[in-house]
Amino acid sequence: MNLYELTDEYLRLQDRLETEAEDNDGAVSDDLLSELVNAEGNVNDKIESCAKVIKNLEAERSAVGEEIARLDKKQVSLDKNIERLKKAVVGAMERLGAQKVKTPLFTIYPRENVSVAFEDEKKLPREFCASEVVTKYKPDRVAMRKYIQAGGEILGVWLVKSKSLQIR
């Protein structure tokens, strides 16, 4: 049975126990008590199993994060190797005076690029600067929560209570 079914079974047995106790001046059968204790144990076992799965998933998520960081470093390293090799090939072709190298797989040639470099972007004349204004508004949830909890009202905003699971 899944957790939902086990919980329903436990609650059904608890209702039976209350009904039987009311009908018999507080007396209940040993069989019903035994079923209830067994059902409670099953629910607790299932909850513990769920907690174990949650912990495993959290560990896996952490491992994925570490793997992403490792792969990011590897990508940076590969980018540096690619640049180093490209510079080495261009240097070799320049020393040999080769404009182009053709092979069955590739045609390899250096291409001249022109880019702009500058010392201090703050010292550039305005006519050579594009304006970029980015204003992004995002709700300050903490400030809104504090304001509402202090008795304030904000049109279209309300507090929502929820529960989160803590596993230690």
Side-chain angles (χ1 to χ4, degrees):
M1 274 191 221
N2 64 31
L3 183 59
Y4 183 78
E5 293 166 339
L6 287 171
T7 303
D8 278 352
E9 173 68 13
Y10 178 78
L11 292 173
R12 187 183 59 73
L13 287 169
Q14 204 172 31
D15 285 344
R16 273 184 50 204
L17 182 81
E18 290 172 7
T19 303
E20 191 173 309
E22 286 174 9
D23 293 346
N24 298 323
D25 294 326
V28 291
S29 70
D30 289 341
D31 289 341
L32 185 55
L33 281 174
S34 177
E35 280 185 65
L36 187 65
V37 168
N38 188 38
E40 183 180 17
N42 290 341
V43 169
N44 289 344
D45 289 347
K46 186 60 89 168
I47 288 173
E48 180 181 29
S49 295
C50 289
K52 288 176 183 176
V53 170
I54 290 167
K55 285 296 192 183
N56 283 336
L57 291 172
E58 288 173 345
E60 187 175 348
R61 179 185 60 200
S62 176
V64 166
E66 290 170 7
E67 184 67 5
I68 288 170
R70 186 188 70 79
L71 291 173
D72 282 345
K73 286 180 186 174
K74 179 148 182 109
Q75 183 178 20
V76 168
S77 174
L78 291 170
D79 288 343
K80 287 179 182 177
N81 284 335
I82 289 167
E83 280 306 307
R84 184 181 53 76
L85 285 170
K86 283 182 177 182
K87 285 179 182 178
V89 169
V90 168
M93 290 178 72
E94 285 176 350
R95 283 196 319 271
L96 294 172
Q99 297 294 316
K100 192 180 280 190
V101 174
K102 283 190 163 208
T103 70
L105 293 177
F106 304 106
T107 299
I108 303 139
Y109 58 95
R111 182 178 67 188
E112 198 156 308
N113 300 313
V114 178
S115 63
V116 175
F118 47 85
E119 253 181 52
D120 186 359
E121 101 180 30
K122 293 177 183 171
K123 292 181 180 177
L124 295 173
R126 242 182 227 273
E127 65 201 59
F128 295 107
C129 296
S131 62
E132 181 179 320
V133 177
V134 178
T135 304
K136 183 178 176 183
Y137 294 99
K138 71 176 208 172
D140 186 346
R141 294 176 187 274
V142 173
M144 288 189 291
R145 179 180 46 83
K146 288 178 180 177
Y147 180 75
I148 293 171
Q149 285 176 332
E153 290 185 23
I154 305 170
L155 184 63
V157 179
W158 60 93
L159 297 179
V160 177
K161 291 185 179 183
S162 64
K163 293 186 179 187
S164 64
L165 184 65
Q166 301 297 307
I167 303 171
R168 294 184 197 185

